């Protein structure tokens, strides 16, 4: 069922766990994410970024994800990921998206505040995620990434949330999109300070490549939404590579993509298990 992202955030805050946000580009990834959520009886954010909308076509892809979310037997928020403009947010709002992210993180603080505040005002009841600090890397392709610089400053983050009214805040604590160059090193002291300073749930982007222990520790320190994209794509490509190498009898599309969907479902299920399990680290 299609629900507001606010409902999912509220429940995650109440329950002390993180909701998974998984990026989709097409029918197969969408079905795999929702099959995983249903198998685990877990709510999810089904996230679509600008690159995906360009690739899939705005109407076909938005209608696909919304229809799939409505049909799901678990709560699903359909989320616009890393939107650079208010206009894109408005377009998705009128289509029926139930969660938005406006990403002004590359702008000076005041401009980021202005852009984000405008989006929050326009979104009304629909929750808006803002971002402060630098999460490096590209959302749609995954070359090796340096970890993010600059990291989010706790006092500035508090001011950002108070001035914009965002429902959640994406933070930079050494996380990056795509494949990490070397061992990722999250700044957990900074995360604890952010949790104490920021009056909104914290969001961790760039979760692909982070260890389960790091993810659990981040949850124990206040992260309530975790975004995963690259690992799903890695699973998809790995599965297609194997199938094509072995050969798929009769050029059977349902077999080629069916196997890939099962593999992606497993990847998403593993993440959901980590995100909603009891944190093994105390704050
Ligand atoms: O917004 C999407 C996420 O931050 C995905 O990051 O590709 O490193 O998993 P990832
Ligand atoms: Zn992201």
């Amino acid at each position: 069922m299609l629900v507001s992202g606010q409902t999912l955030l509220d429940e995650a805050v109440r329950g002390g766990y993180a909701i998974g946000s998984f990026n989709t580009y097409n029918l197969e990834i969408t079905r795999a994410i929702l099959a995983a959520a249903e198998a685990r009886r877990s709510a999810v954010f089904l996230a679509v970024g600008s690159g995906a909308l360009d690739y899939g076509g705005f109407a076909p892809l938005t209608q696909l994800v919304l229809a799939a979310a409505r049909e799901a037997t678990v709560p699903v928020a359909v989320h616009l990921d890393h939107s650079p403009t208010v206009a894109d947010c408005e377009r998705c709002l009128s289509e029926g998206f139930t969660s938005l992210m406006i990403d002004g993180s590359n702008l000076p603080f005041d401009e980021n505040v202005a852009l984000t505040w405008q989006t929050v005002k326009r979104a009304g009841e629909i929750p808006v995620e803002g971002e402060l600090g630098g999460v490096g890397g590209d959302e749609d392709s995954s070359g090796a990434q340096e970890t993010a610089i600059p990291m989010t400053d706790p006092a500035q983050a508090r001011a950002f949330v108070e001035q914009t009214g965002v429902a959640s805040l994406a933070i930079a604590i050494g996380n990056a999109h795509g494949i990490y160059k070397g061992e990722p090193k999250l700044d957990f002291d900074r995360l604890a300070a952010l949790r104490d300073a920021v009056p909104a749930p914290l969001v961790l982007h760039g979760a692909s490549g982070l260890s389960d222990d790091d993810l659990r520790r981040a949850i124990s320190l206040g992260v309530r939404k975790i975004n995963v994209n690259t690992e799903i794509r890695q699973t998809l490509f790995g599965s297609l590579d194997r199938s094509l190498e072995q050969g798929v009898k009769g050029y059977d599309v349902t077999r080629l993509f069916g196997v890939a969907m099962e593999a992606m479902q497993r990847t998403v299920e593993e993440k959901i298990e980590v995100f909603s399990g009891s944190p093994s680290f105390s704050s």
Side-chain angles (χ1 to χ4, degrees):
M1 67 218 70
L2 180 65
V3 301
S4 167
Q6 192 60 55
T7 308
L8 305 191
L9 290 171
D10 289 345
E11 278 170 18
V13 169
R14 238 190 329 268
Y17 60 88
I19 287 274
S21 178
F22 301 98
N23 285 73
T24 184
Y25 293 79
N26 61 15
L27 172 73
E28 287 77 13
I29 302 176
T30 301
R31 285 180 64 86
I33 293 167
L34 297 184
E38 288 181 338
R40 294 283 158 172
R41 306 309 306 156
S42 170
V44 283
F45 281 85
L46 187 56
V48 187
S50 314
L53 289 170
D54 288 345
Y55 162 75
F58 184 81
L61 189 59
T62 55
Q63 285 169 31
L64 162 67
V65 291
L66 287 163
R70 288 193 185 101
E71 209 181 76
T73 60
V74 290
V76 179
V78 173
H79 175 77
L80 174 62
D81 202 27
H82 289 286
S83 173
T85 65
V86 182
D88 286 354
C89 288
E90 287 180 328
R91 216 169 160 209
C92 287
L93 263 182
S94 53
E95 210 58 28
F97 276 41
T98 59
S99 177
L100 302 170
M101 177 188 189
I102 184 81
D103 185 353
S105 60
N106 58 350
L107 299 173
F109 181 81
D110 288 348
E111 289 176 37
N112 189 0
V113 166
L115 176 75
T116 307
W117 179 78
Q118 254 188 309
T119 310
V120 170
K121 205 170 56 157
R122 176 64 192 84
E125 306 254 288
I126 298 299
V128 175
E129 177 180 329
E131 179 170 325
L132 190 65
V135 177
D138 188 284
E139 285 106 41
D140 301 312
S141 72
S142 301
Q145 306 297 346
E146 302 286 355
T147 49
I149 300 289
M151 296 192 193
T152 311
D153 173 73
Q156 216 180 35
R158 182 190 185 89
F160 183 84
V161 170
E162 287 173 350
Q163 288 172 34
T164 59
V166 285
S168 60
L169 182 70
I171 50 165
I173 55 166
N175 46 317
H177 293 115
I179 295 165
Y180 284 85
K181 192 172 177 185
E183 187 86 357
K185 282 194 179 47
L186 299 186
D187 183 344
F188 289 110
D189 290 341
R190 181 178 298 269
L191 177 55
L194 284 162
R195 175 204 54 194
D196 293 343
V198 177
L202 302 177
V203 181
L204 185 68
H205 283 243
S208 296
L210 296 179
S211 69
D212 290 352
D213 279 355
D214 275 0
L215 292 170
R216 288 194 190 96
R217 191 164 177 195
I219 294 164
S220 78
L221 291 169
V223 166
R224 294 292 171 259
K225 173 172 174 280
I226 301 183
N227 290 23
V228 181
N229 182 346
T230 301
E231 280 188 41
I232 304 172
R233 303 199 318 267
Q234 285 176 315
T235 300
L236 170 64
F237 277 59
S239 170
L240 295 178
D241 274 350
R242 279 190 300 281
S243 293
L244 293 171
E245 203 178 290
Q246 287 159 13
V248 181
K249 227 171 129 195
Y251 302 102
D252 185 344
V253 168
T254 65
R255 174 86 193 137
L256 176 67
F257 289 108
V259 170
M261 282 196 285
E262 282 168 18
M264 290 188 283
Q265 180 182 338
R266 284 193 292 277
T267 297
V268 175
E269 281 196 50
E270 282 163 20
K271 294 296 173 195
I272 289 174
E273 180 152 349
V274 173
F275 298 166
S276 50
S278 308
S280 56
F281 292 88
S282 65
S283 53

